[in-house]
Amino acid sequence: MVSQPDSNAQGWTWFGIGAVLLLLALTLVESIHSYYFCNDDNIASELPGMVFVCRNVWKGIVPEYNPYNYMGMPVLSQGRGWTYPPVAASYAIARHLLGNEYLLMEVFAAIHLAVAYGAMFVLARRLEMCGPVACLTSLSFVVSGAVLIMGRCWHPFLSMAALGPLLALSADRLRTGPVGWRWALGCGAVIGMAYHSGFPQLWFFAMLFFGLHVTALWAWQLIPLRRALWVLPAVMLGMATIVPLLYQQWRLSRDMVAFDSYGEGVGRHLLAFVLPYPLRHDTLPNGWGSLNLRFGGHFFYSGMILTLLFLAAVVHWLYSMRQPRRPRSGMHIWTMCAIVAFLFCLGYSGGLWYLIAKLPVGLKNHPFRVMPFFVLFSVVAGGLMLERIVRRFPAMPWLATAIGLFGLVLLFQHVYCARAAFYAYGFAPYPKLPTEFEKLLRSPAPETPYRNLFCAPQRSTDPTYAFSMPQQLPTAYELPAFDGYDPVVNVKPPFMNAIGRLLDGNPAEAMRAYGVRWLLVHKMIARMPVVSGTSSSSLEVMAIFMSLLKTVPFVQIHEVTGMEEILSVAEVGNVDPLCFRTDARSVPLPIRLDGRGIHADLGSSPGPGRVVVNFLFYPDLHAYADGVRVAAEVDEWGRMLVAVPGGTQRLDVLYQPTWLVGFLLAIVPLLLGLTIAVGLKVCDP
């Protein structure tokens, strides 16, 4: 005798229990580490960009341009999650309900983990798991190390924690009956959202496993071919939302300098998949991390029970394959997908990564990034195996509850130990600048600022590290800077030429030309073996710009009151302003910076002349003199040189990429998707 699944009432009870436990888990991690989801790239790069974009949107500005880092850089055209609607929703909650815009990332995480839990629970119930098993399956994915630890470092993994289960739900919906245009529209929306969440590599694997899932349903005769073909209009509708951004990304990436792929697989960490700390001491992938390194193995952990049961599901599948006449179980579609994902996670040792290595650079780094997909499919396969087991014992109705509760205890021990991060900085977002220090960096006046450049290690856990303005922190403080941290702009010719002239040419001349007046020298470089250049294997002992201390003559070294033991501000003399007339080089023109570009006040201009807008030239930067488009060119330093007519009072330099072409191209997949949908509907018996 085999027991039947429990009632809807019992299912909702367990859904509520799981929701409360998820809330407790998030409370626990935030109590252990405030701003838990602000680590590594999230705090150094992503959060400053998110806040900058949302601040501008709130002012009614389309934020195409960031004037603070990299001497000006494109924003929306990159993607990076800036076009992902939940970012704005999270900002609204953080700013208006919680009163702290820097809580954006925590709100973003809570929203997506809540959606992930709901989607996983619905999926588990659709697969006829009982309440305790569905609860354990859902939480095993949502609080897994692959979601929590990667999500606290790289925010797109939080997005995919929600969107991955929604795609799995969409695929499984095909199994239970006919679908139509509503399904195609909803599935297409998820596909589009997944791309706009900001990580093309994640989207690529999401689509790969979505396609594999649907193909397996058809190949195992669980759905008819005509129903499977509804995937085509869904994908086309999703592509219609993607193409406008994809076109901009293609334009931006055409001249990027290529580099080799890198990152390890998970083969050295297999025991950490089933053994938590302290039973297993392991490290994060690539040997990364700065604090709580003993907990690194929890990156690979998603609860012992379902992982072991996934292995049992593999054995069961292999055994069932020996009986070819036996109908294939849809249960093992999840097993098969998990195995494929695991082979990708292994990297080259798994074999499949050799295929990935033939793809463009951005898609073939870090095989461990496939871990969320492995966890998703493996916990569902393990949950289905557990459900199969407990139904074999109808005389023991408490068995599922007992195993579920034991599994939840293991998960909470895991949550307590999920403290590692790819890099944990020593500051929260973002320390208030001392008044004297901020006044110096904005001198001689807020409307005539100069740039800063950080002279400190590339990474540090020092709580005062933020004051040296590393990475994208200048954007958070709205202070113009020479450098930054962006995977696209960093390897584009405009910035590479500029940094080459700074480090390999005449550094003093380059700093003056690029308006770099302030070198922020953190005093930790005098207390530790920091080296100049990029040869060191550890970012904590590598200060790229330290050589400038010896090669650039400074007119003054400022010691800011209260910061004497933290950093010094070295001042460069005769620095070019951020906007000036070529016939009055030492006179700065007042400017205002925002997400559109640079706005300069030229005052009374008696005759025609040329103005240097001291920001790196990009083809999509256009100049307007009193609202009229004027010619602009690039000067010998890669800066923007604008010819202005006589009498011009206002000069606007705006970043204006051509989105229209992308939207026109999007019509093609839109019409194709609609045509296929109509054809499938007409042919539907």
Side-chain angles (χ1 to χ4, degrees):
M1 179 179 178
V2 178
S3 65
Q4 297 301 312
D6 55 15
S7 66
N8 285 334
Q10 290 174 310
W12 281 112
T13 298
W14 277 98
F15 176 83
I17 291 172
V20 171
L21 292 176
L22 176 59
L23 179 61
L24 291 175
L26 293 177
T27 303
L28 176 60
V29 296
E30 291 289 347
S31 67
I32 294 173
H33 186 173
S34 61
Y35 292 97
Y36 176 83
F37 292 97
C38 287
N39 283 274
D40 198 51
D41 288 4
N42 278 0
I43 190 172
S45 176
E46 308 304 330
L47 183 58
M50 287 178 170
V51 171
F52 172 79
V53 165
C54 291
R55 283 174 181 169
N56 278 272
V57 170
W58 258 239
K59 296 175 184 177
I61 296 172
V62 178
E64 292 281 6
Y65 187 72
N66 177 354
Y68 297 110
N69 277 101
Y70 286 109
M71 296 177 284
M73 56 181 283
V75 178
L76 286 188
S77 301
Q78 285 198 56
R80 300 283 303 281
W82 315 146
T83 57
Y84 185 55
V87 171
S90 301
Y91 180 79
I93 294 172
R95 175 172 173 171
H96 299 293
L97 295 183
L98 303 178
N100 180 0
E101 62 184 359
Y102 293 136
L103 286 173
L104 185 157
M105 197 67 73
E106 311 307 304
V107 174
F108 186 87
I111 290 173
H112 284 85
L113 294 183
V115 172
Y117 172 73
M120 285 295 294
F121 196 90
V122 171
L123 175 62
R125 294 294 287 174
R126 282 182 55 83
L127 295 171
E128 299 185 348
M129 295 185 198
C130 64
V133 176
C135 180
L136 177 61
T137 300
S138 304
L139 288 177
S140 294
F141 172 73
V142 174
V143 300
S144 65
V147 171
L148 285 184
I149 294 178
M150 265 203 285
R152 72 186 303 218
C153 301
W154 298 335
H155 84 274
F157 285 84
L158 295 170
S159 308
M160 195 54 67
L163 298 170
L166 289 175
L167 279 175
L169 261 176
S170 298
D172 189 68
R173 170 63 183 84
L174 295 170
R175 179 179 57 86
T176 56
V179 297
W181 66 268
R182 290 185 181 88
W183 179 90
L185 190 62
C187 184
V190 174
I191 290 171
M193 291 273 280
Y195 190 85
H196 284 272
S197 67
F199 222 46
Q201 185 185 32
L202 268 183
W203 181 84
F204 170 82
F205 279 107
M207 295 308 299
L208 187 151
F209 286 111
F210 176 68
L212 181 63
H213 191 168
V214 174
T215 301
L217 286 170
W218 168 72
W220 291 9
Q221 300 179 1
L222 295 174
I223 62 173
L225 177 61
R226 181 170 292 148
R227 194 184 305 166
L229 290 177
W230 273 99
V231 168
L232 297 178
V235 171
M236 288 297 103
L237 293 175
M239 288 303 300
T241 69
I242 293 170
V243 166
L245 176 59
L246 183 62
Y247 174 71
Q248 295 301 327
Q249 292 174 321
W250 171 75
R251 294 179 68 241
L252 268 180
S253 62
R254 283 180 298 174
D255 60 353
M256 285 174 57
V257 177
F259 52 90
D260 293 332
S261 61
Y262 59 98
E264 70 167 355
V266 302
R268 296 192 301 110
H269 310 276
L270 297 183
L271 287 178
F273 281 71
V274 293
L275 295 178
Y277 177 88
L279 297 179
R280 173 68 178 174
H281 293 246
D282 215 317
T283 63
L284 289 167
N286 294 340
W288 287 347
S290 56
L291 300 173
N292 299 313
L293 298 180
R294 64 189 183 279
F295 298 117
H298 277 265
F299 172 87
F300 307 94
Y301 190 74
S302 56
M304 182 187 303
I305 292 178
L306 294 187
T307 303
L308 291 175
L309 286 171
F310 159 67
L311 297 177
V314 174
V315 174
H316 182 270
W317 183 35
L318 294 176
Y319 175 77
S320 66
M321 291 174 65
R322 299 176 59 186
Q323 305 175 31
R325 295 183 180 180
R326 184 176 178 177
R328 291 183 175 179
S329 170
M331 158 186 172
H332 290 311
I333 290 177
W334 305 93
T335 308
M336 181 268 295
C337 289
I339 291 173
V340 174
F342 182 71
L343 292 175
F344 279 121
C345 289
L346 288 174
Y348 289 105
S349 61
L352 295 181
W353 205 257
Y354 285 99
L355 301 177
I356 301 299
K358 299 182 182 299
L359 297 175
V361 170
L363 301 178
K364 58 186 179 182
N365 292 333
H366 304 305
F368 63 82
R369 286 176 175 167
V370 189
M371 275 292 296
F373 300 102
F374 166 73
V375 175
L376 170 60
F377 290 112
S378 66
V379 299
V380 172
L384 288 169
M385 197 68 191
L386 177 57
E387 184 68 24
R388 184 184 184 92
I389 292 171
V390 298
R391 290 194 190 186
R392 295 289 180 181
F393 299 94
M396 302 168 63
W398 49 265
L399 182 60
T401 301
I403 295 175
L405 290 176
F406 178 63
L408 293 174
V409 170
L410 291 178
L411 283 179
F412 256 78
Q413 186 270 346
H414 157 69
V415 170
Y416 179 78
C417 294
R419 306 185 184 196
F422 295 153
Y423 199 87
Y425 293 92
F427 58 87
Y430 290 97
K432 179 176 173 55
L433 300 181
T435 302
E436 182 182 344
F437 179 58
E438 184 173 12
K439 183 178 179 180
L440 178 64
L441 295 187
R442 297 190 189 279
S443 63
E447 65 273 12
T448 54
Y450 289 86
R451 288 196 175 90
N452 66 72
L453 177 61
F454 85 105
C455 184
Q458 294 297 104
R459 302 284 188 277
S460 176
T461 59
D462 191 305
T464 64
Y465 182 60
F467 295 138
S468 60
M469 296 292 149
Q471 320 299 347
Q472 294 293 105
L473 266 63
T475 293
Y477 291 108
E478 297 187 349
L479 289 166
F482 174 87
D483 198 22
Y485 180 52
D486 184 279
V488 175
V489 179
N490 201 56
V491 290
K492 283 183 68 66
F495 179 71
M496 293 192 71
N497 293 336
I499 197 172
R501 299 189 72 165
L502 179 65
L503 294 178
D504 302 325
N506 186 325
E509 186 179 17
M511 289 186 76
R512 294 188 185 102
Y514 292 125
V516 182
R517 184 175 181 178
W518 317 109
L519 185 68
L520 308 182
V521 186
H522 201 292
K523 293 189 176 179
M524 72 175 74
I525 66 174
R527 302 192 298 265
M528 57 191 299
V530 177
V531 298
S532 180
T534 59
S535 60
S536 173
S537 60
S538 173
L539 296 175
E540 290 185 333
V541 294
M542 181 178 73
I544 295 176
F545 303 109
M546 194 171 68
S547 61
L548 301 178
L549 294 173
K550 298 179 180 180
T551 57
V552 177
F554 300 102
V555 297
Q556 186 176 354
I557 305 296
H558 299 269
E559 298 291 346
V560 180
T561 303
M563 302 181 70
E564 295 89 348
E565 301 300 319
I566 299 175
L567 59 76
S568 300
V569 181
E571 181 178 354
V572 182
N574 299 318
V575 173
D576 286 352
L578 298 193
C579 188
F580 61 92
R581 296 179 183 276
T582 56
D583 57 359
R585 187 167 187 163
S586 62
V587 180
L589 294 172
I591 60 172
R592 180 173 56 84
L593 307 176
D594 61 24
R596 289 172 295 189
I598 307 100
H599 313 276
D601 181 7
L602 304 188
S604 57
S605 177
R610 299 203 300 173
V611 174
V612 173
V613 182
N614 200 344
F615 291 78
L616 292 182
F617 180 84
Y618 285 91
D620 287 328
L621 277 173
H622 303 299
Y624 297 86
D626 291 334
V628 179
R629 178 103 174 249
V630 293
E633 57 184 308
V634 59
D635 75 358
E636 60 176 323
W637 289 97
R639 306 173 301 188
M640 196 161 185
L641 184 62
V642 183
V644 295
T648 301
Q649 296 184 341
R650 178 186 175 91
L651 175 64
D652 296 296
V653 175
L654 309 179
Y655 192 84
Q656 298 174 315
T658 307
W659 286 89
L660 179 60
V661 175
F663 281 107
L664 291 176
L665 290 174
I667 295 175
V668 176
L670 177 62
L671 293 178
L672 186 58
L674 292 175
T675 301
I676 296 173
V678 170
L680 289 171
K681 195 68 178 175
V682 170
C683 296
D684 203 22

